[in-house]
Amino acid sequence: AGFIVLGTAIIHQFWWVLDVFSLLLFYAAAKMVLEHGDDEEDLMDTQPPLVLRVLQRFIPCTTEYSGSAFFVRSDRGTPMMTPLFAALVVVELSDVAFAIDSIP
């Protein structure tokens, strides 16, 4: 409840910020609608998301699922994350980002 009251006070004080964000959203939407490539490969980003690339830098990853396990041991005995754990991290970080975004 405190965040709602604080967000309302900030919006009343800085009402013009909403106009700036609205213009930013309209600009992003127009750019997405008007931007088109010659084929679908131009529009597709084939790199994994940044979160996944950073995660894979610190924790080795398998390409195979192992039931509902988040981690498995490799043939050498080192722990490796499964794609299930990587998906969990990406979903949870998205959840946190949307929670922070919806505070005001």
Side-chain angles (χ1 to χ4, degrees):
F3 281 122
I4 293 172
V5 171
L6 180 64
T8 304
I10 290 172
I11 287 172
H12 282 297
Q13 183 70 27
F14 302 104
W15 57 268
W16 54 270
V17 173
L18 292 179
D19 293 336
V20 172
F21 286 138
S22 298
L23 290 174
L24 180 66
L25 286 174
F26 280 121
Y27 170 75
K31 186 176 176 185
M32 288 175 62
V33 168
L34 298 176
E35 192 175 272
H36 56 302
D38 292 337
D39 60 19
E40 281 189 32
E41 289 185 17
D42 291 340
L43 299 175
M44 293 178 54
D45 185 13
T46 57
Q47 280 191 326
L50 176 66
V51 173
L52 189 56
R53 286 182 288 170
V54 169
L55 192 62
Q56 288 175 339
R57 181 178 294 166
F58 294 105
I59 305 171
C61 183
T62 66
T63 57
E64 300 172 3
Y65 292 95
S66 181
S68 62
F70 289 130
F71 291 93
V72 293
R73 293 222 176 256
S74 69
D75 295 337
R76 297 182 210 149
T78 59
M80 299 180 76
M81 72 174 169
T82 63
L84 185 63
F85 181 74
L88 176 72
V89 170
V90 170
V91 167
E92 291 303 321
L93 286 175
S94 299
D95 189 34
V96 168
F98 281 114
I100 290 172
D101 181 54
S102 65
I103 287 176

